[in-house]
Amino acid sequence: MKTLKLFFSVSIAVILFRGAGMPADELTFSDWDTNNNELISRSEFVDQFTESYVDDWNVVDDAHLDDEDFYTVTYNIWDVDNDALLTEEEWNYGYDYYYGDYLMDDFVAVDVDGDGFIEYQEYYDALYDTDYYVTWDVDNDSYLNEYELARAVFNNWDYDNSNFIEIDEYNAFEAYYLDI
């Protein structure tokens, strides 16, 4: 499950939003560590994340982040080659890092039409009835506010549960995801 959290958190870093802050690919550890103590606290992370990234999650371009935005963004994270199809390799890699107990690890079962790819609708249909989105929506209002999203990402990045993101945790995400 920690591996799942690590991958998802890092994947979110790839989509680091281009809001009022610096472009995501230009942020460094010190941009997040505003008090320069070599640790990124939850509040430092939430401040930077909400300033720089939240808007890019609103892919439907309405007034809120909902499950449609969430599933679209997470599907796009998995789709490493950006061809709008998940190959079995992309599915297995994403599954190993994201879903844990949310879904069966069975590419063939999710690939309902049997064409050898998982299209977005198959992905959405397989995940919609799981608790995947619900666990991020802490207040159960069917929307993710910027703080719910930022805190969930922080929790995923903080894979040792220390309540801080250390440089090794940051590097594990930054090195992989910002190159995708």
Side-chain angles (χ1 to χ4, degrees):
M1 188 61 128
K2 266 304 180 187
T3 308
L4 164 115
K5 290 173 79 175
L6 173 66
F7 183 78
F8 189 70
S9 300
V10 178
S11 296
I12 292 172
V14 172
I15 297 180
L16 290 180
F17 320 103
R18 310 284 197 273
M22 300 176 86
D25 58 353
E26 294 180 22
L27 291 176
T28 65
F29 184 84
S30 61
D31 294 316
W32 296 84
D33 178 22
T34 57
N35 66 2
N36 297 314
N37 67 348
E38 299 191 25
L39 298 169
I40 301 170
S41 69
R42 180 180 309 274
S43 63
E44 288 171 318
F45 184 89
V46 168
D47 290 347
Q48 182 66 47
F49 190 88
T50 57
E51 178 182 332
S52 301
Y53 304 111
V54 170
D55 290 339
D56 286 344
W57 278 76
N58 192 358
V59 295
V60 178
D61 200 27
D62 53 15
H64 52 270
L65 300 174
D66 58 18
D67 62 336
E68 185 178 8
D69 296 310
F70 182 80
Y71 289 120
T72 299
V73 170
T74 57
Y75 181 85
N76 290 335
I77 290 169
W78 279 33
D79 183 19
V80 175
D81 62 6
N82 297 314
D83 66 353
L85 299 168
L86 296 182
T87 63
E88 187 166 2
E89 181 180 1
E90 288 170 323
W91 169 261
N92 289 334
Y93 191 70
Y95 180 88
D96 287 344
Y97 287 103
Y98 283 95
Y99 292 116
D101 298 329
Y102 294 110
L103 193 59
M104 70 290 196
D105 180 17
D106 187 357
F107 180 85
V108 174
V110 177
D111 179 21
V112 176
D113 64 8
D115 66 354
F117 299 98
I118 296 175
E119 292 86 14
Y120 173 77
Q121 192 61 51
E122 291 170 321
Y123 173 87
Y124 181 83
D125 291 346
L127 290 168
Y128 183 75
D129 289 331
T130 70
D131 288 337
Y132 184 48
Y133 175 78
V134 174
T135 60
W136 289 64
D137 181 21
V138 176
D139 63 9
N140 296 315
D141 67 354
S142 298
Y143 303 106
L144 292 179
N145 67 46
E146 62 188 15
Y147 301 105
E148 287 173 317
L149 181 61
R151 288 180 188 125
V153 172
F154 177 88
N155 290 341
N156 286 324
W157 277 38
D158 180 24
Y159 60 84
D160 67 0
N161 294 316
S162 67
N163 291 314
F164 293 97
I165 296 174
E166 293 92 8
I167 190 74
D168 63 320
E169 291 168 316
Y170 177 85
N171 287 336
F173 293 109
E174 188 270 341
Y176 179 76
Y177 285 97
L178 296 180
D179 289 340
I180 291 178

